[in-house]
Amino acid sequence: MRIVLLGAPGAGKGTQAKKLVEKYGIPQVSTGDLLRAAVAAGTTLGKEAKAVMDKGELVPDSIVLGMMEERMKQDDMKKGYILDGFPRNTKQAEALDAMLAKLNMPLTAALSVDVPFEDLMKRLTGRRTCKSCGQMYNVYFSPSKAEGTCDKCGAALFQRDDDKEETIKKRLEVYSASTAPLIDYYKGKGILKSVSGTGGIDSIFGEVCAQLGLK
Ligand code: AP5
Ligand code: MG
């Protein structure tokens, strides 16, 4: 499995990627998670990225591509990979194709998770994430049993800095302008699949596996 997950902010890319990791043991590479780790570590790159992320804009291609080139060379990628939130525009998609051709591990599919825009605001403002294990919750749709605490590991939950209404609006605009065109990009390459991202998380996962030809 060597896939890209496409979808608007809040569509459920991270949620479905984590289920694929759990079931098939293939690594998830989320550029958003890598950038948030750099922000938390307070590196120069992290400081530069935070200012852009808090505005809901895309971090410069040079930063993201450098980060991905390092990540894709690591040994665990040989098992396959799930790219979540990358590529984000045509330039990144073309750079990814070149990178993967060199490493001789081309994409097998690009899977688009489709959710109507009007559902996304509540998903994003309601999202809470575990500081320790990364498990995701939603105060409206799938709350943790005890407020603010992870059911799986007991650590505290946090709300992402970019999950504020104004920033979300900007992220959705950026998605429409820069990322949505990748649906046609991968259609043109004959590897596009899509699923509806509305409904229960487990039933969507069943459809994800079916679309990817997984048992
Ligand atoms: P990133 O971290 O990639 O965020 P995003 O694309 O905005 O996507 P999200 O993580 O918000 O949504 P998701 O689809 O993963 O949804 P999730 O599963 O969490 O990027 C953040 C920022 O980093 C960008 O804005 C940019 O600045 C920068 N960046 C990252 N990559 C970059 C790149 N390649 N180039 C340049 N800049 C980059 O689900 C959301 C919520 O919905 C959760 O609460 C979940 O529990 C809930 N939920 C999930 N499924 C369902 C369901 N079926 N029904 C109801 N609720 C559901
Ligand atoms: Mg995500």
Side-chain angles (χ1 to χ4, degrees):
M1 184 192 334
R2 295 191 297 268
I3 63 167
V4 162
L5 289 179
L6 293 171
K13 302 180 295 296
T15 301
Q16 295 299 326
K18 284 193 167 45
K19 291 184 77 70
L20 287 168
V21 173
E22 221 168 85
K23 186 159 179 195
Y24 298 101
I26 304 291
Q28 168 198 12
V29 181
S30 154
T31 40
D33 288 348
L34 291 172
L35 290 165
R36 281 184 289 278
V39 172
T43 60
T44 314
L45 183 154
K47 285 182 189 135
E48 196 181 329
K50 181 165 172 49
V52 182
M53 291 165 84
D54 284 352
K55 284 194 268 177
E57 289 169 4
L58 293 183
V59 171
D61 292 334
S62 56
I63 292 184
V64 174
L65 290 171
M67 215 169 64
M68 283 306 288
E69 248 174 67
E70 285 312 304
R71 183 65 187 92
M72 296 309 289
K73 278 187 215 150
Q74 287 169 20
D75 251 10
D76 61 337
M77 293 289 110
K78 294 193 177 112
K79 285 193 272 185
Y81 51 77
I82 302 155
L83 303 186
D84 161 9
F86 176 86
R88 217 54 173 225
N89 57 30
T90 308
K91 187 168 170 217
Q92 291 184 11
E94 287 168 353
L96 174 66
D97 285 342
M99 211 184 289
L100 295 175
K102 244 194 259 167
L103 295 166
N104 197 23
M105 45 188 206
L107 288 170
T108 48
L111 180 72
S112 168
V113 181
D114 304 330
V115 175
F117 262 36
E118 56 268 28
D119 296 349
L120 297 172
M121 187 57 80
K122 215 168 170 183
R123 285 195 185 191
L124 291 169
T125 53
R127 172 167 51 193
R128 302 290 183 273
T129 309
C130 175
K131 277 195 159 85
S132 174
C133 73
Q135 177 64 38
M136 246 131 23
Y137 298 90
N138 194 289
V139 298
Y140 304 112
F141 305 115
S142 51
S144 57
K145 290 194 186 95
E147 199 188 322
T149 306
C150 179
D151 295 348
K152 279 197 172 167
C153 73
L157 305 183
F158 74 97
Q159 185 168 18
R160 266 171 50 177
D161 288 342
D162 60 348
D163 279 346
K164 297 186 181 86
E165 208 167 313
E166 276 318 299
T167 316
I168 293 168
K169 280 187 195 151
K170 180 68 189 173
R171 284 160 61 200
L172 293 173
E173 274 170 36
V174 169
Y175 170 78
S176 299
S178 302
T179 312
L182 294 183
I183 292 177
D184 278 342
Y185 179 89
Y186 288 114
K187 201 186 275 176
K189 293 194 174 287
I191 58 167
L192 182 76
K193 316 258 179 204
S194 59
V195 295
S196 161
T198 306
I201 288 170
D202 289 336
S203 76
I204 296 167
F205 184 61
E207 190 50 33
V208 165
C209 294
Q211 283 293 322
L212 295 174
L214 301 167
K215 299 225 170 72

